[in-house]
Amino acid sequence: AGRVGAPARARSVVLPLRAAVPLLDLAERGLPEEEPVAQRCVRTLREAVGAAGASAVLVPAALIHHLASFRLLGPHLRASSRWRSMHADIEAAIAAAAAAEEEGEEEE
């Protein structure tokens, strides 16, 4: 698996709810309260989880990028038994978003 970050061109990422809920918990506990971008990330993720359908949430790709820049996502989580499955789900969602974006470009 590669480095977690926003897909190059994708505008949004569909995260499985099983990854979005622990990511929200991690963001609420780990992001600085005084940082406006961090708090926008928490609000956006909270709203997405709150509006979630049965199994997935749609989040802006920029949100994934911001969380990675705050080190809430990255290789250090892959080594953690607590966060490994969440990290794998997020990486898979990013790969799917990037593939869908590339496929959409080929059709144009």
Side-chain angles (χ1 to χ4, degrees), residues 90-101:
I90 292 169
E91 284 183 334
I94 290 167
E101 190 71 24

Side-chain angles (χ1 to χ4, degrees), residues 31-39 70:
L31 289 176
E33 291 182 20
E34 67 281 356
E35 173 59 51
V37 171
Q39 291 312 303
F70 283 109

Side-chain angles (χ1 to χ4, degrees), residues 74-97:
H76 58 289
L77 292 181
R78 203 176 301 128
S80 165
S81 61
R82 180 176 182 190
W83 303 112
R84 186 178 304 128
S85 64
M86 177 197 73
H87 197 274
D89 285 341
I90 292 169
E91 284 183 334
I94 290 167

Side-chain angles (χ1 to χ4, degrees), residues 8-80:
R9 295 181 195 98
R11 291 181 197 101
S12 57
V13 176
V14 178
L15 292 179
L17 198 55
R18 69 178 178 266
V21 170
L23 183 58
L24 174 58
D25 180 54
L26 191 61
E28 287 177 330
R29 292 185 296 113
L31 289 176
E33 291 182 20
E34 67 281 356
E35 173 59 51
V37 171
Q39 291 312 303
R40 276 195 306 273
C41 287
V42 170
R43 278 193 308 277
T44 300
L45 194 51
R46 189 181 299 131
E47 289 169 6
V49 167
S55 61
V57 300
L58 184 66
V59 298
L63 174 81
I64 301 298
H65 175 74
H66 288 308
L67 293 177
S69 71
F70 283 109
R71 293 197 36 83
L72 284 186
L73 296 172
H76 58 289
L77 292 181
R78 203 176 301 128
S80 165

